Amino acid sequence: MVQKQRAGRMDRQTRRRMIRNAADKRLRLVSRLRRIAGFVTLAAIILFFAANPTLFSREAMRQLGAYFTAGLSTSQTGDRIEYETGNGATVAVFGDGVVTVDSDTLALRTAGGTQLTQALGYSAPALCTSDRYVLAYDRGGYNAALVSNLMVASEQTMESAILFGCLGESGDYALVTDEPGYRSAVTVFSSGGRQRFKWATPDYYFQAAALSPDGQSLVVAAFRQNETELEGTLFFRDLGSEEITSEVSLGASMPLAVGYLNDGTVAVVGDYATSVINRQGETLASIDYSADDLNAYCFGGNALALAIHSYSGTARSELVLLQADGAVSEALEIVEDLQAIDYDGARLALLTSSGLTVYDNALRPLWANSSAAGAQSVGLTGDGGVWLIYPKQATYISAASDTTEDLR
């Protein structure tokens, strides 16, 4: 047996030498190309391992194993995710399930089990999510972590207390801090944890921020004390420049949230008004209201869903969609107490005291489910369903659920 193996190796070596020394130039060329391709492949593998050492760490391998185990697990039904969380827990829809975070642990969970857990030790944990990433940070603390559905992509320990954070579509993220000697500072990091941009100001308090879909610019909503009045201001910044691209006054409205509707246009939600503003400083749309009349808002799919108190007939709230071009939809009147909304550009999930109703992006009703009453929040899924978030579990419902009523 051993002799046959040795003979086989010698035959292969002989054939290779014959090809390398063949009289036919084409055979010699093929031999050289094969050798070059082999060296290039080996070099690429070595460079990949060198550039991504964390992918093959013990923790990453453990998390990868947990992911596949969760995919094979059948310990939970397909329409329910159960979880135990500590005080001050936050739950959000992410991927095929939910992400939970409390003062001790962040966990990615599906109906099949837990995909990933990460010890945090945050005193006041907060979450931002995108299609591929979760940003967890300690509000008032110093630490933040970016997590994908398989591993921790990067971690930060800031020198100043974190006020809030925001997450871009590519995994880049920004942390706003209470910088000594300044009013506020914002630092932008790549998904790998490299610092891309930092801006500190002694004049303004930063209230909200967002990264553009292309990852090239940042918008910051801020305010300052101007004698006896508060003055809101919107700043557009290019991440590759030290100059302020544009600066827009928000008047006396205190900014609460800001988000990009496309790469050049944002919506700013304030305590007295919500506006759609482009990078040239033009206000494309604006809706005014009293400070107590703002009920809910949600950014999604290049639009903003905005619900404010209604004084029309029996309606308690009215909801409109604001588009990037400044278009404002006809108002949807809501007669029940509004609990929560979610919007993804194609569908609107509206949770009220009487249950859940799902609409299309023209605000036409698609289906309803009264069993959803009592949920704390809702999250749309990519397959057309909705996760209902409760204190100790998340429940999945869709148009095909037994308790669902078709409204079309």
Side-chain angles (χ1 to χ4, degrees):
M1 177 72 70
V2 175
Q3 291 179 346
K4 289 182 179 180
Q5 291 176 345
R6 290 177 178 173
R9 286 196 295 268
M10 292 177 64
D11 289 343
R12 287 194 296 270
Q13 293 172 356
T14 301
R15 286 196 294 270
R16 290 169 184 159
R17 283 197 298 270
M18 291 177 62
I19 293 174
R20 287 198 301 268
N21 300 322
D24 192 332
K25 294 182 179 179
R26 290 173 299 178
L27 290 177
R28 296 201 302 271
L29 177 61
V30 169
S31 176
R32 293 192 185 96
L33 290 176
R34 288 179 60 185
R35 294 180 66 187
I36 292 171
F39 285 125
V40 170
T41 301
L42 178 61
I45 292 173
I46 293 172
L47 289 173
F48 179 79
F49 273 76
N52 300 276
T54 58
L55 290 178
F56 307 97
S57 66
R58 180 182 300 177
E59 179 65 14
M61 293 297 101
R62 184 191 67 77
Q63 292 170 355
L64 184 61
Y67 174 76
F68 287 112
T69 299
L72 297 173
S73 172
T74 58
S75 60
Q76 293 181 328
T77 60
D79 61 355
R80 180 172 298 180
I81 301 173
E82 298 181 352
Y83 40 79
E84 292 291 334
T85 56
N87 294 331
T90 300
V91 183
V93 173
F94 177 69
D96 295 328
V98 299
V99 52
T100 64
V101 60
D102 57 24
S103 58
D104 297 320
T105 306
L106 178 146
L108 305 183
R109 307 174 189 271
T110 68
T114 301
Q115 290 185 340
L116 178 148
T117 59
Q118 175 68 18
L120 296 179
Y122 293 176
S123 59
L127 280 178
C128 300
T129 62
S130 68
D131 290 341
R132 295 188 297 154
Y133 292 96
V134 174
L135 174 66
Y137 60 92
D138 192 4
R139 191 187 298 270
Y142 299 87
N143 297 306
L146 181 72
V147 178
S148 70
N149 60 357
L150 283 179
M151 61 180 296
V152 177
S154 65
E155 294 182 87
Q156 300 294 336
T157 298
M158 307 299 290
E159 295 181 357
S160 303
I162 299 172
L163 302 177
F164 63 88
C166 66
L167 177 61
E169 295 181 5
S170 65
D172 290 2
Y173 54 99
L175 298 174
V176 173
T177 53
D178 184 11
E179 204 81 359
Y182 297 90
R183 300 292 189 191
S184 303
V186 57
T187 309
V188 178
F189 300 94
S190 69
S191 59
R194 176 181 60 85
Q195 181 176 313
R196 293 187 57 194
F197 174 87
K198 184 170 184 178
W199 175 36
T201 173
D203 300 317
Y204 290 89
Y205 295 96
F206 295 158
Q207 289 290 99
L211 290 160
S212 63
D214 63 6
Q216 300 304 309
S217 60
L218 171 77
V219 63
V220 178
F223 78 93
R224 68 177 176 180
Q225 185 78 28
N226 187 5
E227 295 182 352
T228 60
E229 296 182 354
L230 294 178
E231 177 186 1
T233 305
L234 189 69
F235 296 97
F236 287 93
R237 298 295 306 262
D238 287 331
L239 298 183
S241 172
E242 295 296 326
E243 302 296 327
I244 295 174
T245 305
S246 60
E247 180 178 335
V248 183
S249 174
L250 300 176
S253 180
M254 173 72 71
L256 303 175
V258 63
Y260 276 90
L261 305 184
N262 59 33
D263 286 327
T265 307
V266 302
V268 187
V269 180
D271 58 350
Y272 288 105
T274 291
S275 302
V276 176
I277 302 171
N278 63 22
R279 287 171 61 89
Q280 289 71 43
E282 300 171 321
T283 299
L284 306 181
S286 186
I287 297 176
D288 297 328
Y289 41 79
S290 299
D292 296 331
D293 287 347
L294 177 62
N295 289 342
Y297 58 87
C298 180
F299 292 91
N302 300 327
L304 170 71
L306 177 72
I308 59 176
H309 182 75
S310 175
Y311 295 92
S312 172
T314 60
R316 299 193 177 187
S317 301
E318 59 181 33
L319 184 145
V320 295
L321 302 177
L322 290 84
Q323 306 292 337
D325 61 0
V328 181
S329 71
E330 292 291 329
L332 171 68
E333 294 190 345
I334 306 167
V335 297
E336 300 91 358
D337 288 332
L338 181 61
Q339 307 294 326
I341 63 173
D342 191 27
Y343 183 64
D344 65 3
R347 293 165 300 141
L348 171 74
L350 183 68
L351 180 66
T352 68
S353 54
S354 64
L356 173 75
T357 305
V358 175
Y359 300 82
D360 64 15
N361 56 10
L363 299 182
R364 295 177 296 227
L366 300 176
W367 53 273
N369 193 306
S370 60
S371 68
Q376 292 181 328
S377 62
V378 295
L380 290 159
T381 65
D383 61 1
V386 176
W387 281 108
L388 305 173
I389 307 301
Y390 298 92
K392 298 297 181 182
Q393 70 179 40
T395 303
Y396 176 84
I397 60 174
S398 69
S401 298
D402 294 337
T403 54
T404 291
E405 177 187 1
D406 192 345
L407 301 178
R408 287 172 288 189

